[in-house]
Amino acid sequence: MDDNDISIFGTAEGKHRIWLNTTDASGISFAVIVWLIFCFLASVVVYFTINDIWDDILGSLNGLLLALAAWSHLKSMITDPGSIPL
């Protein structure tokens, strides 16, 4: 790993491994809203599963899908939108 290949946030081309535009106030505010919705949905899934409103399998499936959606959103937030993985 050389000096041009550091792992920090930034928007410069080819310089950073993690891409995150920190100057976009509306994008960051919408991302915060999305993560608050993810947290609310996770608490609803746990509440419904604990109180036997949903079956354990259904709660686990919803929790898995919620985790996959959160991971996809995080990955789309911190990777360069123009890059194609090899």
Side-chain angles (χ1 to χ4, degrees), residues 56-79:
D56 291 340
I57 294 173
L58 183 60
S60 300
L61 179 64
N62 279 309
L64 175 67
L65 293 175
L66 182 64
L68 289 173
W71 181 257
S72 296
H73 187 261
L74 179 67
K75 187 169 181 177
S76 68
M77 280 178 47
I78 63 173
T79 56

Side-chain angles (χ1 to χ4, degrees), residues 7-52:
S7 295
I8 59 172
F9 295 115
T11 56
E13 183 68 32
K15 185 176 172 184
H16 306 286
R17 284 199 190 142
I18 298 177
W19 187 90
L20 180 63
N21 191 356
T22 56
T23 60
D24 181 22
S26 61
I28 292 174
S29 61
F30 281 118
V32 168
I33 291 170
V34 168
W35 283 100
L36 290 174
I37 291 171
F38 280 148
C39 291
F40 173 73
L41 291 176
S43 65
V44 168
V45 167
V46 169
Y47 175 79
F48 280 8
T49 306
I50 287 176
N51 291 328
D52 291 331

